[in-house]
């Protein structure tokens, strides 16, 4: 069961709702050190804690009706906003650090020259197998796999129904698989 706000919280809230800047100043004087301290404990950064403190009081000033004195104290409500913002900041900072380190976190071992040569040879054989396909099949598979087109787009570009485009792509892939299997690629 929520704790009702004391009379002075209700009075200050009503004054802020009415646009009384001095009431906001009183709330700030009374609770800013709490909000700042809480933000600082979570973020461990004075500048960020100052920004969060300012944001919290700005939220109260811009949307005072978001606070409901029947559900609790102004102190608890503002502290909850501050805590959430501070946690959000810490999480965002962690995501930023991980994304900045991401490529380095998953670096692969250096590629061996032998692997590079084998991959180039396989790529050459695949290209040769594709060029040996009949024109209709070759065009369909090139548009789909090298051009990134959908079945529908392949059909439109080749002037054939979508079903025909699908069939050509499947047949081309089957022929490529057979040809490359014979060469043990």
């Amino acid at each position: 069961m929520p704790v009702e706000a004391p009379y002075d919280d209700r009075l200050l809230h009503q004054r802020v709702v009415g646009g009384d800047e001095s009431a906001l100043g009183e709330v700030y004087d009374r609770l800013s050190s709490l909000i700042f301290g809480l933000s600082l404990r979570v973020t461990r950064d004075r500048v960020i804690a100052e920004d969060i403190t300012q944001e919290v009081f700005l939220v109260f000033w811009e949307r005072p009706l978001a606070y409901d004195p029947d559900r609790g104290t102004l102190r608890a409500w503002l502290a909850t906003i501050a805590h959430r913002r501070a946690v959000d900041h810490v999480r965002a900072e962690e995501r930023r650090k991980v994304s900045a380190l991401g490529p380095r976190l998953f670096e692969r071992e250096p590629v061996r020259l032998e692997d590079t040569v084998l991959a180039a040879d396989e790529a050459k054989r695949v290209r040769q197998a594709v060029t040996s396909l009949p024109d209709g099949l070759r065009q369909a598979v090139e548009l789909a796999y090298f051009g990134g087109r959908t079945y529908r787009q392949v059909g439109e570009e080749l002037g054939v129904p979508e079903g025909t485009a699908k069939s050509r792509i499947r047949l081309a892939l089957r022929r490529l698989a057979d040809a490359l299997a014979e060469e043990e690629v």
Side-chain angles (χ1 to χ4, degrees):
M1 183 171 185
V3 177
E4 279 193 30
Y7 177 74
D8 58 335
D9 277 3
R10 290 177 181 278
L11 191 58
L12 282 170
H13 178 243
Q14 288 172 354
R15 288 174 52 203
V16 170
V17 168
D20 183 351
E21 290 180 28
S22 65
L24 180 65
E26 290 176 42
V27 173
Y28 183 86
D29 290 343
R30 198 170 88 194
L31 298 174
S32 63
S33 61
L34 166 77
I35 301 304
F36 175 77
L38 176 63
S39 301
L40 182 60
R41 274 194 305 277
V42 174
T43 64
R44 297 182 178 171
D45 184 317
R46 291 189 71 78
V47 173
I48 300 300
E50 290 169 358
D51 289 345
I52 290 171
T53 302
Q54 182 179 359
E55 288 175 26
V56 167
F57 288 99
L58 186 62
V59 165
F60 182 48
W61 178 249
E62 290 178 342
R63 295 188 305 274
L65 294 175
Y67 167 64
D68 181 359
D70 293 332
R71 296 188 64 206
T73 65
L74 186 56
R75 172 188 175 97
W77 186 71
L78 292 174
T80 300
I81 293 172
H83 185 261
R84 287 180 181 162
R85 297 228 173 186
V87 168
D88 287 347
H89 173 78
V90 169
R91 287 179 179 158
E93 191 63 23
E94 287 300 314
R95 282 191 302 271
R96 186 193 63 73
K97 285 178 184 175
V98 167
S99 78
L101 292 175
R104 284 182 269 158
L105 288 176
F106 301 105
E107 281 183 1
R108 297 184 181 125
E109 293 179 23
V111 178
R112 297 181 339 198
L113 179 59
E114 177 184 328
D115 293 339
T116 304
V117 171
L118 288 174
D121 183 53
E122 285 180 2
K124 180 182 174 188
R125 289 180 180 181
V126 170
R127 280 193 303 277
Q128 288 172 341
V130 170
T131 57
S132 70
L133 291 170
D135 284 343
L137 299 181
R138 181 185 46 75
Q139 290 170 341
V141 82
E142 284 176 344
L143 287 170
Y145 287 91
F146 302 119
R149 310 291 199 298
T150 64
Y151 293 125
R152 179 173 290 142
Q153 292 169 330
V154 170
E156 288 172 4
E157 288 193 36
L158 295 178
V160 298
E162 182 179 342
T164 303
K166 276 185 184 181
S167 297
R168 287 183 182 180
I169 293 168
R170 285 187 190 137
L171 182 56
L173 291 175
R174 193 172 312 122
R175 286 192 181 178
L176 286 173
D178 291 344
L180 295 171
E182 287 175 13
E183 294 184 30
E184 298 180 5
V185 175

